[in-house]
Amino acid sequence: MITFLIRAFIFLASAALGLLVADLLLPGFRIDWSNWWGFVLAIVIFATLQSVLSPWIATVARRNAPALLGGIGIFSTLIALVIVVLIPGAGLTIGQPFLLTWVLAPVIVWLVTALATLFLPMLLLKKRLDERRDKKAGAAGA
C-alpha cells in the first residue's frame, strides 16, 4: 500500500514538474500563481487524465492505426492539456504565441514527465529497493 501511495505521489510530482518546466520555458504557457489551489487542481486533473487517456488511446491506436503507437504519450498529453486549460479555475492558460505554444507544450510536458517518472522512483524508492535486494540476496544465500 505504501508503495502504491509513493507511486501516486511520483506520478503527481512528475506532472507538476512537467507543467512547471513548460511554464518556465514557454512564454505562452502560464500557471496562475495567485491561486495555488488552481495549480494543484491542474496537477491532479492532468495526472488523472494522463493515467486514463494513455491506455485508452493506445487501445484505439492499436486497433485502428498501429503506426501512431509511438506518439501516444505526446497525444494524450495534448488532450489532457486541452481539457485542463478548458476547466475554469484550473490555473493554467495557453496564449500567444498560440500555435508554437500548443505544439511545444505537449512535447515539453511529456518529456519532463517521462524523465521524472523514470528518475523519481530511483530517488524515492531506493531504500525500499535496496531492502528487497538484500532480502533476495539473503534468501538465495540460505
Side-chain angles (χ1 to χ4, degrees), residues 102-141:
W102 274 110
V103 169
L104 292 179
V107 174
I108 291 170
V109 173
W110 170 79
L111 181 62
V112 172
T113 302
L115 291 173
T117 304
L118 178 66
F119 291 118
L120 282 176
M122 291 178 193
L123 296 172
L124 297 175
L125 298 177
K126 184 176 180 357
K127 182 179 177 184
R128 185 134 171 119
L129 293 172
D130 289 343
E131 289 172 1
R132 283 187 180 177
R133 200 172 303 125
D134 291 343
K135 278 185 181 179
K136 286 182 181 180

PDB file of all heavy atoms in Angstrom, residues 102-141:
ATOM      1  N   TRP A 102       1.161  25.605 -28.345  1.00  0.00           N
ATOM      2  CA  TRP A 102       0.381  24.364 -28.375  1.00  0.00           C
ATOM      3  C   TRP A 102       1.167  23.203 -28.983  1.00  0.00           C
ATOM      4  O   TRP A 102       0.877  22.039 -28.698  1.00  0.00           O
ATOM      5  CB  TRP A 102      -0.928  24.551 -29.120  1.00  0.00           C
ATOM      6  CG  TRP A 102      -2.007  25.068 -28.219  1.00  0.00           C
ATOM      7  CD1 TRP A 102      -2.558  26.306 -28.239  1.00  0.00           C
ATOM      8  CD2 TRP A 102      -2.651  24.370 -27.148  1.00  0.00           C
ATOM      9  NE1 TRP A 102      -3.510  26.420 -27.252  1.00  0.00           N
ATOM     10  CE2 TRP A 102      -3.579  25.238 -26.560  1.00  0.00           C
ATOM     11  CE3 TRP A 102      -2.517  23.093 -26.624  1.00  0.00           C
ATOM     12  CZ2 TRP A 102      -4.382  24.880 -25.484  1.00  0.00           C
ATOM     13  CZ3 TRP A 102      -3.326  22.731 -25.540  1.00  0.00           C
ATOM     14  CH2 TRP A 102      -4.231  23.618 -24.989  1.00  0.00           C
ATOM     15  N   VAL A 103       2.142  23.492 -29.816  1.00  0.00           N
ATOM     16  CA  VAL A 103       2.983  22.428 -30.382  1.00  0.00           C
ATOM     17  C   VAL A 103       4.061  22.013 -29.384  1.00  0.00           C
ATOM     18  O   VAL A 103       4.303  20.820 -29.175  1.00  0.00           O
ATOM     19  CB  VAL A 103       3.620  22.877 -31.725  1.00  0.00           C
ATOM     20  CG1 VAL A 103       4.687  21.911 -32.176  1.00  0.00           C
ATOM     21  CG2 VAL A 103       2.537  23.028 -32.790  1.00  0.00           C
ATOM     22  N   LEU A 104       4.704  22.995 -28.753  1.00  0.00           N
ATOM     23  CA  LEU A 104       5.821  22.689 -27.856  1.00  0.00           C
ATOM     24  C   LEU A 104       5.392  22.243 -26.453  1.00  0.00           C
ATOM     25  O   LEU A 104       6.085  21.449 -25.831  1.00  0.00           O
ATOM     26  CB  LEU A 104       6.749  23.900 -27.746  1.00  0.00           C
ATOM     27  CG  LEU A 104       7.522  24.257 -29.002  1.00  0.00           C
ATOM     28  CD1 LEU A 104       8.387  25.486 -28.772  1.00  0.00           C
ATOM     29  CD2 LEU A 104       8.378  23.084 -29.457  1.00  0.00           C
ATOM     30  N   ALA A 105       4.286  22.763 -25.952  1.00  0.00           N
ATOM     31  CA  ALA A 105       3.858  22.437 -24.586  1.00  0.00           C
ATOM     32  C   ALA A 105       3.677  20.932 -24.373  1.00  0.00           C
ATOM     33  O   ALA A 105       4.217  20.389 -23.405  1.00  0.00           O
ATOM     34  CB  ALA A 105       2.594  23.201 -24.218  1.00  0.00           C
ATOM     35  N   PRO A 106       2.949  20.216 -25.233  1.00  0.00           N
ATOM     36  CA  PRO A 106       2.806  18.780 -25.000  1.00  0.00           C
ATOM     37  C   PRO A 106       4.139  18.033 -25.060  1.00  0.00           C
ATOM     38  O   PRO A 106       4.362  17.105 -24.283  1.00  0.00           O
ATOM     39  CB  PRO A 106       1.883  18.305 -26.127  1.00  0.00           C
ATOM     40  CG  PRO A 106       1.203  19.522 -26.616  1.00  0.00           C
ATOM     41  CD  PRO A 106       2.127  20.659 -26.357  1.00  0.00           C
ATOM     42  N   VAL A 107       5.014  18.466 -25.946  1.00  0.00           N
ATOM     43  CA  VAL A 107       6.317  17.800 -26.056  1.00  0.00           C
ATOM     44  C   VAL A 107       7.140  18.013 -24.787  1.00  0.00           C
ATOM     45  O   VAL A 107       7.700  17.066 -24.231  1.00  0.00           O
ATOM     46  CB  VAL A 107       7.089  18.311 -27.302  1.00  0.00           C
ATOM     47  CG1 VAL A 107       8.490  17.729 -27.349  1.00  0.00           C
ATOM     48  CG2 VAL A 107       6.328  17.983 -28.573  1.00  0.00           C
ATOM     49  N   ILE A 108       7.194  19.259 -24.311  1.00  0.00           N
ATOM     50  CA  ILE A 108       7.963  19.559 -23.101  1.00  0.00           C
ATOM     51  C   ILE A 108       7.369  18.860 -21.888  1.00  0.00           C
ATOM     52  O   ILE A 108       8.089  18.212 -21.115  1.00  0.00           O
ATOM     53  CB  ILE A 108       8.045  21.086 -22.883  1.00  0.00           C
ATOM     54  CG1 ILE A 108       8.914  21.720 -23.969  1.00  0.00           C
ATOM     55  CG2 ILE A 108       8.576  21.418 -21.494  1.00  0.00           C
ATOM     56  CD1 ILE A 108       8.867  23.232 -23.999  1.00  0.00           C
ATOM     57  N   VAL A 109       6.061  18.978 -21.709  1.00  0.00           N
ATOM     58  CA  VAL A 109       5.408  18.360 -20.543  1.00  0.00           C
ATOM     59  C   VAL A 109       5.582  16.844 -20.592  1.00  0.00           C
ATOM     60  O   VAL A 109       5.924  16.207 -19.587  1.00  0.00           O
ATOM     61  CB  VAL A 109       3.917  18.754 -20.458  1.00  0.00           C
ATOM     62  CG1 VAL A 109       3.207  17.980 -19.369  1.00  0.00           C
ATOM     63  CG2 VAL A 109       3.779  20.246 -20.228  1.00  0.00           C
ATOM     64  N   TRP A 110       5.399  16.245 -21.756  1.00  0.00           N
ATOM     65  CA  TRP A 110       5.551  14.800 -21.888  1.00  0.00           C
ATOM     66  C   TRP A 110       6.977  14.370 -21.584  1.00  0.00           C
ATOM     67  O   TRP A 110       7.200  13.410 -20.849  1.00  0.00           O
ATOM     68  CB  TRP A 110       5.153  14.354 -23.301  1.00  0.00           C
ATOM     69  CG  TRP A 110       5.521  12.935 -23.576  1.00  0.00           C
ATOM     70  CD1 TRP A 110       4.856  11.817 -23.173  1.00  0.00           C
ATOM     71  CD2 TRP A 110       6.661  12.477 -24.302  1.00  0.00           C
ATOM     72  NE1 TRP A 110       5.513  10.698 -23.609  1.00  0.00           N
ATOM     73  CE2 TRP A 110       6.624  11.080 -24.304  1.00  0.00           C
ATOM     74  CE3 TRP A 110       7.703  13.134 -24.952  1.00  0.00           C
ATOM     75  CZ2 TRP A 110       7.605  10.314 -24.925  1.00  0.00           C
ATOM     76  CZ3 TRP A 110       8.673  12.372 -25.568  1.00  0.00           C
ATOM     77  CH2 TRP A 110       8.618  10.973 -25.552  1.00  0.00           C
ATOM     78  N   LEU A 111       7.965  15.073 -22.138  1.00  0.00           N
ATOM     79  CA  LEU A 111       9.364  14.704 -21.937  1.00  0.00           C
ATOM     80  C   LEU A 111       9.767  14.816 -20.470  1.00  0.00           C
ATOM     81  O   LEU A 111      10.352  13.889 -19.904  1.00  0.00           O
ATOM     82  CB  LEU A 111      10.267  15.584 -22.807  1.00  0.00           C
ATOM     83  CG  LEU A 111      11.763  15.303 -22.721  1.00  0.00           C
ATOM     84  CD1 LEU A 111      12.063  13.887 -23.197  1.00  0.00           C
ATOM     85  CD2 LEU A 111      12.530  16.313 -23.550  1.00  0.00           C
ATOM     86  N   VAL A 112       9.425  15.921 -19.833  1.00  0.00           N
ATOM     87  CA  VAL A 112       9.778  16.109 -18.424  1.00  0.00           C
ATOM     88  C   VAL A 112       9.047  15.097 -17.550  1.00  0.00           C
ATOM     89  O   VAL A 112       9.631  14.511 -16.627  1.00  0.00           O
ATOM     90  CB  VAL A 112       9.485  17.557 -17.973  1.00  0.00           C
ATOM     91  CG1 VAL A 112       9.654  17.712 -16.471  1.00  0.00           C
ATOM     92  CG2 VAL A 112      10.379  18.530 -18.715  1.00  0.00           C
ATOM     93  N   THR A 113       7.776  14.868 -17.840  1.00  0.00           N
ATOM     94  CA  THR A 113       7.002  13.886 -17.070  1.00  0.00           C
ATOM     95  C   THR A 113       7.591  12.491 -17.224  1.00  0.00           C
ATOM     96  O   THR A 113       7.720  11.748 -16.244  1.00  0.00           O
ATOM     97  CB  THR A 113       5.523  13.907 -17.518  1.00  0.00           C
ATOM     98  OG1 THR A 113       5.015  15.222 -17.337  1.00  0.00           O
ATOM     99  CG2 THR A 113       4.682  12.938 -16.716  1.00  0.00           C
ATOM    100  N   ALA A 114       7.965  12.123 -18.436  1.00  0.00           N
ATOM    101  CA  ALA A 114       8.557  10.801 -18.673  1.00  0.00           C
ATOM    102  C   ALA A 114       9.877  10.656 -17.923  1.00  0.00           C
ATOM    103  O   ALA A 114      10.124   9.628 -17.278  1.00  0.00           O
ATOM    104  CB  ALA A 114       8.759  10.580 -20.169  1.00  0.00           C
ATOM    105  N   LEU A 115      10.724  11.674 -17.999  1.00  0.00           N
ATOM    106  CA  LEU A 115      12.011  11.611 -17.296  1.00  0.00           C
ATOM    107  C   LEU A 115      11.820  11.583 -15.784  1.00  0.00           C
ATOM    108  O   LEU A 115      12.498  10.825 -15.077  1.00  0.00           O
ATOM    109  CB  LEU A 115      12.896  12.785 -17.707  1.00  0.00           C
ATOM    110  CG  LEU A 115      13.415  12.748 -19.145  1.00  0.00           C
ATOM    111  CD1 LEU A 115      14.146  14.047 -19.484  1.00  0.00           C
ATOM    112  CD2 LEU A 115      14.325  11.544 -19.366  1.00  0.00           C
ATOM    113  N   ALA A 116      10.902  12.399 -15.284  1.00  0.00           N
ATOM    114  CA  ALA A 116      10.641  12.412 -13.842  1.00  0.00           C
ATOM    115  C   ALA A 116      10.066  11.079 -13.377  1.00  0.00           C
ATOM    116  O   ALA A 116      10.433  10.577 -12.305  1.00  0.00           O
ATOM    117  CB  ALA A 116       9.687  13.551 -13.488  1.00  0.00           C
ATOM    118  N   THR A 117       9.196  10.485 -14.171  1.00  0.00           N
ATOM    119  CA  THR A 117       8.625   9.183 -13.808  1.00  0.00           C
ATOM    120  C   THR A 117       9.700   8.099 -13.811  1.00  0.00           C
ATOM    121  O   THR A 117       9.620   7.138 -13.063  1.00  0.00           O
ATOM    122  CB  THR A 117       7.486   8.816 -14.783  1.00  0.00           C
ATOM    123  OG1 THR A 117       6.524   9.862 -14.773  1.00  0.00           O
ATOM    124  CG2 THR A 117       6.801   7.529 -14.380  1.00  0.00           C
ATOM    125  N   LEU A 118      10.713   8.276 -14.606  1.00  0.00           N
ATOM    126  CA  LEU A 118      11.824   7.328 -14.656  1.00  0.00           C
ATOM    127  C   LEU A 118      12.769   7.515 -13.476  1.00  0.00           C
ATOM    128  O   LEU A 118      13.159   6.541 -12.836  1.00  0.00           O
ATOM    129  CB  LEU A 118      12.583   7.497 -15.979  1.00  0.00           C
ATOM    130  CG  LEU A 118      13.802   6.623 -16.189  1.00  0.00           C
ATOM    131  CD1 LEU A 118      13.393   5.161 -16.298  1.00  0.00           C
ATOM    132  CD2 LEU A 118      14.548   7.058 -17.433  1.00  0.00           C
ATOM    133  N   PHE A 119      13.123   8.769 -13.170  1.00  0.00           N
ATOM    134  CA  PHE A 119      14.164   9.023 -12.174  1.00  0.00           C
ATOM    135  C   PHE A 119      13.657   9.218 -10.745  1.00  0.00           C
ATOM    136  O   PHE A 119      14.377   8.902  -9.799  1.00  0.00           O
ATOM    137  CB  PHE A 119      15.003  10.225 -12.588  1.00  0.00           C
ATOM    138  CG  PHE A 119      15.848   9.949 -13.794  1.00  0.00           C
ATOM    139  CD1 PHE A 119      15.661  10.663 -14.964  1.00  0.00           C
ATOM    140  CD2 PHE A 119      16.810   8.957 -13.778  1.00  0.00           C
ATOM    141  CE1 PHE A 119      16.427  10.404 -16.082  1.00  0.00           C
ATOM    142  CE2 PHE A 119      17.583   8.680 -14.891  1.00  0.00           C
ATOM    143  CZ  PHE A 119      17.398   9.401 -16.047  1.00  0.00           C
ATOM    144  N   LEU A 120      12.457   9.743 -10.546  1.00  0.00           N
ATOM    145  CA  LEU A 120      11.941   9.936  -9.184  1.00  0.00           C
ATOM    146  C   LEU A 120      11.827   8.633  -8.403  1.00  0.00           C
ATOM    147  O   LEU A 120      12.167   8.605  -7.216  1.00  0.00           O
ATOM    148  CB  LEU A 120      10.607  10.679  -9.199  1.00  0.00           C
ATOM    149  CG  LEU A 120      10.678  12.180  -9.420  1.00  0.00           C
ATOM    150  CD1 LEU A 120       9.279  12.777  -9.510  1.00  0.00           C
ATOM    151  CD2 LEU A 120      11.470  12.868  -8.324  1.00  0.00           C
ATOM    152  N   PRO A 121      11.371   7.521  -9.006  1.00  0.00           N
ATOM    153  CA  PRO A 121      11.331   6.277  -8.226  1.00  0.00           C
ATOM    154  C   PRO A 121      12.723   5.845  -7.752  1.00  0.00           C
ATOM    155  O   PRO A 121      12.869   5.305  -6.656  1.00  0.00           O
ATOM    156  CB  PRO A 121      10.759   5.245  -9.198  1.00  0.00           C
ATOM    157  CG  PRO A 121       9.994   6.041 -10.170  1.00  0.00           C
ATOM    158  CD  PRO A 121      10.728   7.346 -10.300  1.00  0.00           C
ATOM    159  N   MET A 122      13.724   6.095  -8.565  1.00  0.00           N
ATOM    160  CA  MET A 122      15.080   5.736  -8.151  1.00  0.00           C
ATOM    161  C   MET A 122      15.486   6.513  -6.902  1.00  0.00           C
ATOM    162  O   MET A 122      16.159   5.977  -6.026  1.00  0.00           O
ATOM    163  CB  MET A 122      16.073   6.017  -9.286  1.00  0.00           C
ATOM    164  CG  MET A 122      15.917   5.117 -10.459  1.00  0.00           C
ATOM    165  SD  MET A 122      17.102   5.610 -11.728  1.00  0.00           S
ATOM    166  CE  MET A 122      16.482   4.694 -13.118  1.00  0.00           C
ATOM    167  N   LEU A 123      15.053   7.748  -6.825  1.00  0.00           N
ATOM    168  CA  LEU A 123      15.383   8.569  -5.659  1.00  0.00           C
ATOM    169  C   LEU A 123      14.511   8.232  -4.455  1.00  0.00           C
ATOM    170  O   LEU A 123      15.004   8.098  -3.340  1.00  0.00           O
ATOM    171  CB  LEU A 123      15.216  10.051  -6.005  1.00  0.00           C
ATOM    172  CG  LEU A 123      16.136  10.615  -7.070  1.00  0.00           C
ATOM    173  CD1 LEU A 123      15.724  12.035  -7.428  1.00  0.00           C
ATOM    174  CD2 LEU A 123      17.574  10.584  -6.594  1.00  0.00           C
ATOM    175  N   LEU A 124      13.207   8.101  -4.675  1.00  0.00           N
ATOM    176  CA  LEU A 124      12.275   7.917  -3.563  1.00  0.00           C
ATOM    177  C   LEU A 124      12.148   6.469  -3.097  1.00  0.00           C
ATOM    178  O   LEU A 124      11.844   6.224  -1.936  1.00  0.00           O
ATOM    179  CB  LEU A 124      10.896   8.465  -3.947  1.00  0.00           C
ATOM    180  CG  LEU A 124      10.841   9.962  -4.240  1.00  0.00           C
ATOM    181  CD1 LEU A 124       9.465  10.361  -4.714  1.00  0.00           C
ATOM    182  CD2 LEU A 124      11.241  10.774  -3.018  1.00  0.00           C
ATOM    183  N   LEU A 125      12.334   5.535  -3.996  1.00  0.00           N
ATOM    184  CA  LEU A 125      12.156   4.131  -3.635  1.00  0.00           C
ATOM    185  C   LEU A 125      13.481   3.386  -3.480  1.00  0.00           C
ATOM    186  O   LEU A 125      13.503   2.177  -3.331  1.00  0.00           O
ATOM    187  CB  LEU A 125      11.293   3.425  -4.687  1.00  0.00           C
ATOM    188  CG  LEU A 125       9.879   3.961  -4.853  1.00  0.00           C
ATOM    189  CD1 LEU A 125       9.158   3.235  -5.974  1.00  0.00           C
ATOM    190  CD2 LEU A 125       9.107   3.829  -3.557  1.00  0.00           C
ATOM    191  N   LYS A 126      14.595   4.116  -3.498  1.00  0.00           N
ATOM    192  CA  LYS A 126      15.910   3.484  -3.427  1.00  0.00           C
ATOM    193  C   LYS A 126      16.057   2.626  -2.179  1.00  0.00           C
ATOM    194  O   LYS A 126      16.501   1.490  -2.256  1.00  0.00           O
ATOM    195  CB  LYS A 126      17.002   4.544  -3.481  1.00  0.00           C
ATOM    196  CG  LYS A 126      18.403   3.969  -3.510  1.00  0.00           C
ATOM    197  CD  LYS A 126      19.419   5.064  -3.654  1.00  0.00           C
ATOM    198  CE  LYS A 126      20.842   4.623  -3.695  1.00  0.00           C
ATOM    199  NZ  LYS A 126      21.184   3.275  -3.531  1.00  0.00           N
ATOM    200  N   LYS A 127      15.681   3.157  -1.035  1.00  0.00           N
ATOM    201  CA  LYS A 127      15.813   2.414   0.213  1.00  0.00           C
ATOM    202  C   LYS A 127      14.980   1.132   0.164  1.00  0.00           C
ATOM    203  O   LYS A 127      15.441   0.063   0.541  1.00  0.00           O
ATOM    204  CB  LYS A 127      15.388   3.283   1.399  1.00  0.00           C
ATOM    205  CG  LYS A 127      15.531   2.601   2.727  1.00  0.00           C
ATOM    206  CD  LYS A 127      15.124   3.525   3.858  1.00  0.00           C
ATOM    207  CE  LYS A 127      15.197   2.802   5.179  1.00  0.00           C
ATOM    208  NZ  LYS A 127      14.734   3.616   6.291  1.00  0.00           N
ATOM    209  N   ARG A 128      13.757   1.248  -0.311  1.00  0.00           N
ATOM    210  CA  ARG A 128      12.863   0.083  -0.392  1.00  0.00           C
ATOM    211  C   ARG A 128      13.421  -0.964  -1.354  1.00  0.00           C
ATOM    212  O   ARG A 128      13.371  -2.155  -1.080  1.00  0.00           O
ATOM    213  CB  ARG A 128      11.481   0.537  -0.849  1.00  0.00           C
ATOM    214  CG  ARG A 128      10.464  -0.540  -0.845  1.00  0.00           C
ATOM    215  CD  ARG A 128       9.208  -0.030  -0.192  1.00  0.00           C
ATOM    216  NE  ARG A 128       8.150  -0.966  -0.351  1.00  0.00           N
ATOM    217  CZ  ARG A 128       7.544  -1.536   0.663  1.00  0.00           C
ATOM    218  NH1 ARG A 128       7.893  -1.232   1.883  1.00  0.00           N
ATOM    219  NH2 ARG A 128       6.561  -2.384   0.467  1.00  0.00           N
ATOM    220  N   LEU A 129      13.955  -0.523  -2.482  1.00  0.00           N
ATOM    221  CA  LEU A 129      14.538  -1.451  -3.445  1.00  0.00           C
ATOM    222  C   LEU A 129      15.781  -2.127  -2.874  1.00  0.00           C
ATOM    223  O   LEU A 129      16.005  -3.321  -3.093  1.00  0.00           O
ATOM    224  CB  LEU A 129      14.879  -0.725  -4.749  1.00  0.00           C
ATOM    225  CG  LEU A 129      13.696  -0.224  -5.557  1.00  0.00           C
ATOM    226  CD1 LEU A 129      14.170   0.636  -6.721  1.00  0.00           C
ATOM    227  CD2 LEU A 129      12.861  -1.384  -6.069  1.00  0.00           C
ATOM    228  N   ASP A 130      16.587  -1.368  -2.145  1.00  0.00           N
ATOM    229  CA  ASP A 130      17.767  -1.945  -1.503  1.00  0.00           C
ATOM    230  C   ASP A 130      17.375  -3.003  -0.475  1.00  0.00           C
ATOM    231  O   ASP A 130      18.012  -4.057  -0.374  1.00  0.00           O
ATOM    232  CB  ASP A 130      18.605  -0.855  -0.834  1.00  0.00           C
ATOM    233  CG  ASP A 130      19.315   0.035  -1.838  1.00  0.00           C
ATOM    234  OD1 ASP A 130      19.430  -0.368  -3.018  1.00  0.00           O
ATOM    235  OD2 ASP A 130      19.741   1.145  -1.440  1.00  0.00           O
ATOM    236  N   GLU A 131      16.301  -2.738   0.292  1.00  0.00           N
ATOM    237  CA  GLU A 131      15.823  -3.716   1.273  1.00  0.00           C
ATOM    238  C   GLU A 131      15.367  -5.001   0.590  1.00  0.00           C
ATOM    239  O   GLU A 131      15.679  -6.099   1.040  1.00  0.00           O
ATOM    240  CB  GLU A 131      14.668  -3.126   2.089  1.00  0.00           C
ATOM    241  CG  GLU A 131      15.083  -2.050   3.057  1.00  0.00           C
ATOM    242  CD  GLU A 131      13.896  -1.361   3.711  1.00  0.00           C
ATOM    243  OE1 GLU A 131      12.728  -1.727   3.417  1.00  0.00           O
ATOM    244  OE2 GLU A 131      14.136  -0.436   4.509  1.00  0.00           O
ATOM    245  N   ARG A 132      14.636  -4.866  -0.510  1.00  0.00           N
ATOM    246  CA  ARG A 132      14.180  -6.047  -1.251  1.00  0.00           C
ATOM    247  C   ARG A 132      15.357  -6.822  -1.814  1.00  0.00           C
ATOM    248  O   ARG A 132      15.381  -8.040  -1.788  1.00  0.00           O
ATOM    249  CB  ARG A 132      13.229  -5.654  -2.378  1.00  0.00           C
ATOM    250  CG  ARG A 132      11.860  -5.324  -1.916  1.00  0.00           C
ATOM    251  CD  ARG A 132      10.939  -5.119  -3.090  1.00  0.00           C
ATOM    252  NE  ARG A 132       9.605  -4.804  -2.645  1.00  0.00           N
ATOM    253  CZ  ARG A 132       8.616  -4.513  -3.437  1.00  0.00           C
ATOM    254  NH1 ARG A 132       8.796  -4.488  -4.741  1.00  0.00           N
ATOM    255  NH2 ARG A 132       7.433  -4.241  -2.959  1.00  0.00           N
ATOM    256  N   ARG A 133      16.324  -6.088  -2.358  1.00  0.00           N
ATOM    257  CA  ARG A 133      17.503  -6.728  -2.931  1.00  0.00           C
ATOM    258  C   ARG A 133      18.263  -7.485  -1.844  1.00  0.00           C
ATOM    259  O   ARG A 133      18.727  -8.599  -2.063  1.00  0.00           O
ATOM    260  CB  ARG A 133      18.391  -5.674  -3.580  1.00  0.00           C
ATOM    261  CG  ARG A 133      19.355  -6.234  -4.577  1.00  0.00           C
ATOM    262  CD  ARG A 133      20.106  -5.150  -5.360  1.00  0.00           C
ATOM    263  NE  ARG A 133      19.199  -4.258  -6.051  1.00  0.00           N
ATOM    264  CZ  ARG A 133      19.202  -2.939  -5.922  1.00  0.00           C
ATOM    265  NH1 ARG A 133      20.049  -2.331  -5.112  1.00  0.00           N
ATOM    266  NH2 ARG A 133      18.346  -2.199  -6.580  1.00  0.00           N
ATOM    267  N   ASP A 134      18.388  -6.894  -0.645  1.00  0.00           N
ATOM    268  CA  ASP A 134      19.075  -7.561   0.460  1.00  0.00           C
ATOM    269  C   ASP A 134      18.321  -8.807   0.904  1.00  0.00           C
ATOM    270  O   ASP A 134      18.941  -9.830   1.215  1.00  0.00           O
ATOM    271  CB  ASP A 134      19.233  -6.604   1.637  1.00  0.00           C
ATOM    272  CG  ASP A 134      20.228  -5.471   1.358  1.00  0.00           C
ATOM    273  OD1 ASP A 134      21.019  -5.618   0.390  1.00  0.00           O
ATOM    274  OD2 ASP A 134      20.192  -4.456   2.071  1.00  0.00           O
ATOM    275  N   LYS A 135      16.979  -8.748   0.935  1.00  0.00           N
ATOM    276  CA  LYS A 135      16.178  -9.918   1.299  1.00  0.00           C
ATOM    277  C   LYS A 135      16.377 -11.052   0.300  1.00  0.00           C
ATOM    278  O   LYS A 135      16.526 -12.202   0.666  1.00  0.00           O
ATOM    279  CB  LYS A 135      14.689  -9.564   1.362  1.00  0.00           C
ATOM    280  CG  LYS A 135      14.268  -8.934   2.641  1.00  0.00           C
ATOM    281  CD  LYS A 135      12.749  -8.734   2.639  1.00  0.00           C
ATOM    282  CE  LYS A 135      12.289  -8.079   3.904  1.00  0.00           C
ATOM    283  NZ  LYS A 135      10.838  -7.861   3.884  1.00  0.00           N
ATOM    284  N   LYS A 136      16.364 -10.723  -0.988  1.00  0.00           N
ATOM    285  CA  LYS A 136      16.567 -11.735  -2.013  1.00  0.00           C
ATOM    286  C   LYS A 136      17.955 -12.329  -1.937  1.00  0.00           C
ATOM    287  O   LYS A 136      18.129 -13.528  -2.106  1.00  0.00           O
ATOM    288  CB  LYS A 136      16.314 -11.143  -3.421  1.00  0.00           C
ATOM    289  CG  LYS A 136      14.867 -10.915  -3.719  1.00  0.00           C
ATOM    290  CD  LYS A 136      14.679 -10.391  -5.131  1.00  0.00           C
ATOM    291  CE  LYS A 136      13.214 -10.134  -5.421  1.00  0.00           C
ATOM    292  NZ  LYS A 136      13.002  -9.640  -6.766  1.00  0.00           N
ATOM    293  N   ALA A 137      18.939 -11.492  -1.700  1.00  0.00           N
ATOM    294  CA  ALA A 137      20.311 -11.988  -1.590  1.00  0.00           C
ATOM    295  C   ALA A 137      20.455 -12.884  -0.364  1.00  0.00           C
ATOM    296  O   ALA A 137      21.127 -13.919  -0.415  1.00  0.00           O
ATOM    297  CB  ALA A 137      21.294 -10.818  -1.515  1.00  0.00           C
ATOM    298  N   GLY A 138      19.795 -12.508   0.733  1.00  0.00           N
ATOM    299  CA  GLY A 138      19.833 -13.331   1.945  1.00  0.00           C
ATOM    300  C   GLY A 138      19.126 -14.657   1.764  1.00  0.00           C
ATOM    301  O   GLY A 138      19.565 -15.699   2.212  1.00  0.00           O
ATOM    302  N   ALA A 139      17.985 -14.640   1.041  1.00  0.00           N
ATOM    303  CA  ALA A 139      17.234 -15.862   0.791  1.00  0.00           C
ATOM    304  C   ALA A 139      17.985 -16.772  -0.175  1.00  0.00           C
ATOM    305  O   ALA A 139      17.955 -17.993  -0.046  1.00  0.00           O
ATOM    306  CB  ALA A 139      15.859 -15.533   0.234  1.00  0.00           C
ATOM    307  N   ALA A 140      18.677 -16.197  -1.128  1.00  0.00           N
ATOM    308  CA  ALA A 140      19.414 -17.002  -2.098  1.00  0.00           C
ATOM    309  C   ALA A 140      20.650 -17.627  -1.449  1.00  0.00           C
ATOM    310  O   ALA A 140      21.063 -18.716  -1.821  1.00  0.00           O
ATOM    311  CB  ALA A 140      19.844 -16.133  -3.286  1.00  0.00           C
ATOM    312  N   GLY A 141      21.226 -16.933  -0.469  1.00  0.00           N
ATOM    313  CA  GLY A 141      22.426 -17.444   0.191  1.00  0.00           C
ATOM    314  C   GLY A 141      22.091 -18.494   1.232  1.00  0.00           C
ATOM    315  O   GLY A 141      22.953 -19.260   1.658  1.00  0.00           O
TER     316      GLY A 141
END
